[in-house]
Amino acid sequence: MRKKIVAGNWKMNKNLQEGIALATELNDILKADKPNCDVVICTPFIHLASVAGIIDQSVIGLGAENCADKASGAYTGEVSAEMVKSTGAGYVILGHSERRAYYGETAEILKEKINLALANGLKVIFCIGEVLEERESGKQNEVVEAQLAGSLFDLTAEQFANIILAYEPVWAIGTGKTATAEQAEEMHAFIRGVIAGKFGAEAAENVSILYGGSCKPSNAKEIFSKENVDGGLIGGAALKAADFKGIIDAWK
Ligand code: 13P
């Protein structure tokens, strides 16, 4: 059985004190009322070590939102996968549409990042998704398949076992415009088919595919009810413990 996961992506929100407060609140809430799914919070780099010291990682996993495409050395301002791992984090988000759009991350760069993350024992939450124009012209499957092929298809099946996929239609991120549960299901089933074609039926059956884009407590249950939707990658609603808990409870 593949894992059900609700992961939060804090993006560039919360200073250190606010982040510690949110992680503490979430940890208390989830220890008192155990989730029926894996829960992960992905925080800014500077929060990782502090948050790792607060949360019980048997209840909440910890991840970064990015890592460098180089192992170490003279790359001012970058944070390596090894550094992320050394904080106690176990996950890293790679390929988020904001990184692709604002920081020029290409399929090739993402390949390097994925290799380094996996080599350092991190699980990768790899994001894919089309922009509005691509959906309106019916190109969403083509775009998503190219994103998968461009960054993941050189992996071995063993490496791929440490990949979690997150389908995030760019037009649904932070816009309040969620994909319908049917649109999510249709794309997730397509993605699983692409993975089956490349890595085989077992890998496709085992990979968790999360939906991301304006997911909230009020729509999570419907979206998660679909056969190929294994959870969510949550932005805005991950910034308030009650909202994030509401989404986690969609699995109850
Ligand atoms: P929102 O939930 O704010 O739409 O963001 C989704 C997202 O980009 C998560 O990575």
Side-chain angles (χ1 to χ4, degrees), residues 9-15 18 42-45 47 65 98-99 103 239:
N9 174 8
W10 290 7
K11 307 192 180 184
M12 197 172 73
N13 294 294
K14 307 275 179 199
N15 66 29
E18 291 164 347
C42 298
T43 78
F45 292 128
H47 299 48
E65 301 171 16
E98 289 150 16
R99 305 266 348 146
Y103 301 97
L239 298 174

Side-chain angles (χ1 to χ4, degrees), residues 1-21:
M1 269 283 282
R2 55 184 175 259
K3 286 192 167 159
K4 310 295 182 201
I5 303 169
V6 173
N9 174 8
W10 290 7
K11 307 192 180 184
M12 197 172 73
N13 294 294
K14 307 275 179 199
N15 66 29
L16 181 59
Q17 289 72 33
E18 291 164 347
I20 288 173

